[in-house]
Amino acid sequence: MIDIRKIEERARLYIESCPDKSQNKATISKKFKKDLADYLVSRGANENFLEMGASYGHTTQLLSILCDSVVTVDNDKYLIDSINNMGYPNVTAVCHDLYDDVAFMNLVSSHTPFQVALIDAVHTYKHSLSDAIKAIVLECDVLVFDDIGLF
């Protein structure tokens, strides 16, 4: 049986220890992480999660605490190798181009269903729309966006 209080505490401790957006532009803010953690806990902390844009894996690590399984995709091999070396058994980190649409869909469809998708890759409206469409086709129940149009 899942102990939601332990998960909340692990998530809180992780969020306190990770960098904030003001310290590292390549991560999401601690407030965003806390809000995401609260939301996932309210849903029972048992989601299959698709993270589109992994960067350094700060959010991936949080998701590994809060979700049954996480598939994270980024096009930077060094960053994906780093995430894979973290040793989280419920995380599948894949180096792939999110915008090679057919290949991407074939790659991640074997991991469906996803309940939640985080869209946090290329932050333009055009790319975010492309990511959202893919997440909808993959039948994600919830889409979460970060920094759309920021860059």
Side-chain angles (χ1 to χ4, degrees):
M1 186 66 164
I2 191 169
D3 186 340
I4 204 74
R5 286 174 300 199
K6 285 184 181 178
I7 290 172
E8 284 180 297
E9 179 64 10
R10 286 182 61 213
R12 184 189 65 76
L13 290 171
Y14 174 73
I15 292 167
E16 287 176 4
S17 73
C18 68
D20 195 21
K21 187 96 173 154
S22 62
Q23 299 164 306
N24 183 337
K25 288 185 353 183
T27 192
I28 61 177
S29 70
K30 286 187 179 191
K31 169 125 177 55
F32 188 106
K33 286 181 179 87
K34 182 186 179 318
D35 291 346
L36 181 60
D38 290 346
Y39 176 73
L40 292 171
V41 164
S42 77
R43 289 175 55 103
N46 61 354
E47 309 290 2
N48 291 327
F49 202 103
L50 174 62
E51 181 183 29
M52 301 166 92
S55 192
Y56 292 95
H58 297 130
T59 305
T60 310
Q61 291 176 67
L62 176 63
L63 295 171
S64 75
I65 296 167
L66 294 163
C67 299
D68 281 347
S69 70
V70 179
V71 174
T72 187
V73 182
D74 201 287
N75 67 351
D76 187 316
K77 183 171 175 14
Y78 173 80
L79 296 175
I80 290 297
D81 287 347
S82 174
I83 292 167
N84 280 321
N85 288 333
M86 292 176 188
Y88 295 104
N90 62 334
V91 173
T92 301
V94 180
C95 183
H96 195 74
D97 181 357
L98 286 165
Y99 307 104
D100 181 355
D101 292 342
V102 173
F104 170 78
M105 295 301 281
N106 288 334
L107 176 75
V108 299
S109 64
S110 65
H111 297 280
T112 58
F114 297 107
Q115 285 75 46
V116 184
L118 172 61
I119 296 170
D120 191 23
V122 179
H123 298 269
T124 67
Y125 294 113
K126 176 181 152 187
H127 288 93
S128 299
L129 176 59
S130 172
D131 295 343
I133 290 168
K134 286 188 277 278
I136 290 167
V137 169
L138 289 166
E139 300 181 25
C140 293
D141 297 330
V142 176
L143 307 182
V144 178
F145 296 85
D146 183 52
D147 292 341
I148 304 310
L150 180 64
F151 304 107

